[in-house]
Amino acid sequence: MMASDSDISDDALLSQALPTTRIPDNFNPSLPPTSAEEYLQHVVWEARQCKEVVTVDVDRKKLKKPGSIIKKQVKATAPYGYAPSSETQQELLAAFSKLRAQIANLRSSKQIPKSPVSLPGLKNHQEWCKLCFGNSFQLALLKKANRDTTQPPLVEGQEPLLSIVLNIQQRGLQNLLEWHAQWLEVLGFSEAQGRWFYALLACLEKPLIPESCSQIRHIARMCAQIRSSLTSPEHPFLPHLNVIICIVARYFNQEDLADG
């Protein structure tokens, strides 16, 4: 029969686990034990120094001190007539999903076409900028930074062909998204960049790593901010911006960034 809690006394709970000799009168706790018996005597002595009840003095002033407030980043609201309808968003997602399925089939078949151009290294952001936008974009960056440079012959950027983006490793895609976000902050939006954003998102594998998720949310918020500053719902940038915002919010499940 098992003893009930009421049958167990405090003495039983605190009963001695190991037999020890009485602590001698000349016991010196500052001296290290030289035997197992002296070690147990030290343990018993230290246990006797502990209070049965321990309290902590709390500084009430610190409890009343307000903590730091982190402001949540929110998406800029689209002006009336700028955001796509639910039907349009469904069409955009259907087209994007179809492209993703095509990319998945190419990857699984191992029949990825060879890139028509030589791709820069994964960390060479200057060469990637030149590949995506040509040197006019780089010259604009230099002008923005107030750097004088000789005008070279104009070089056109590359379209984000499947034969190019499918030959970029996932780490490279993540780097490109980060760089494109930086270029967007510096020089604003362009239709060429909208096409590159679309291609990179199409090739980005799910589930997203936290860094990529944070990056595409940042891009969607910037696109929403740019959209809110457009002068007309007929602006040529508007369809591109809406596509990026819709894909990030709906396809990659960032619903707090969705329109409508």
Side-chain angles (χ1 to χ4, degrees):
M1 180 177 177
M2 183 178 293
S4 65
D5 291 343
S6 59
D7 296 329
I8 302 175
S9 65
D10 292 339
D11 291 338
L13 288 174
L14 299 175
S15 60
Q16 203 172 35
L18 292 173
T20 59
T21 59
R22 186 181 64 85
I23 297 178
D25 296 334
N26 62 348
F27 175 75
N28 187 348
S30 63
L31 297 178
T34 58
S35 65
E37 184 177 20
E38 289 185 3
Y39 173 79
L40 293 176
Q41 290 173 356
H42 273 76
V43 172
V44 172
W45 182 86
E46 290 176 359
R48 291 177 179 176
Q49 310 313 306
C50 298
K51 298 179 180 179
E52 292 186 5
V53 178
V54 179
T55 60
V56 177
D57 293 328
V58 178
D59 188 347
R60 299 293 176 181
K61 294 181 180 180
K62 292 183 178 180
L63 292 178
K64 295 180 181 179
K65 185 179 179 180
S68 58
I69 299 175
I70 300 175
K71 186 177 180 181
K72 181 182 178 181
Q73 292 181 314
V74 296
K75 187 190 73 167
T77 303
Y80 179 78
Y82 282 49
S85 64
S86 298
E87 292 77 13
T88 300
Q89 292 186 58
Q90 289 300 321
E91 293 172 1
L92 294 176
L93 290 174
F96 185 72
S97 297
K98 184 177 180 180
L99 176 59
R100 295 268 302 189
Q102 181 184 353
I103 290 172
N105 289 335
L106 285 171
R107 282 173 171 163
S108 61
S109 66
K110 306 296 183 182
Q111 295 180 355
I112 297 175
K114 184 178 179 181
S115 173
V117 294
S118 178
L119 300 181
L122 293 181
K123 297 182 179 180
N124 195 336
H125 67 280
Q126 291 184 349
E127 287 302 313
W128 274 109
C129 182
K130 185 177 180 180
L131 185 144
C132 294
F133 303 112
N135 59 356
S136 61
F137 194 90
Q138 288 183 301
L139 290 174
L141 286 174
L142 293 174
K143 184 178 180 180
K144 197 82 173 180
N146 296 321
R147 295 182 184 178
D148 295 329
T149 182
T150 304
Q151 178 72 43
L154 183 64
V155 177
E156 295 292 334
Q158 289 285 335
E159 292 290 325
L161 306 173
L162 279 179
S163 56
I164 292 178
V165 292
L166 283 177
N167 283 285
I168 305 175
Q169 300 175 18
Q170 285 297 304
R171 181 55 189 163
L173 296 175
Q174 294 157 13
N175 288 348
L176 274 174
L177 278 172
E178 180 180 354
W179 297 333
H180 272 274
Q182 295 171 0
W183 299 330
L184 178 63
E185 288 180 346
V186 174
L187 292 178
F189 190 78
S190 68
E191 293 183 33
Q193 192 170 47
R195 290 190 288 270
W196 269 98
F197 275 137
Y198 188 85
L200 294 174
L201 290 172
C203 293
L204 199 61
E205 293 180 352
K206 296 174 71 175
L208 300 179
I209 62 172
E211 292 80 3
S212 294
C213 185
S214 175
Q215 200 62 250
I216 66 172
R217 286 180 59 84
H218 179 53
I219 290 168
R221 283 195 296 266
M222 284 194 292
C223 288
Q225 184 63 46
I226 295 170
R227 181 179 64 179
S228 68
S229 66
L230 297 181
T231 56
S232 166
E234 304 302 323
H235 197 288
F237 287 176
L238 185 59
H240 300 271
L241 295 168
N242 280 339
V243 167
I244 296 168
I245 296 169
C246 176
I247 289 172
V248 171
R250 302 295 189 186
Y251 190 87
F252 290 99
N253 306 114
Q254 307 302 309
E255 296 293 338
D256 60 310
L257 301 178
D259 292 315

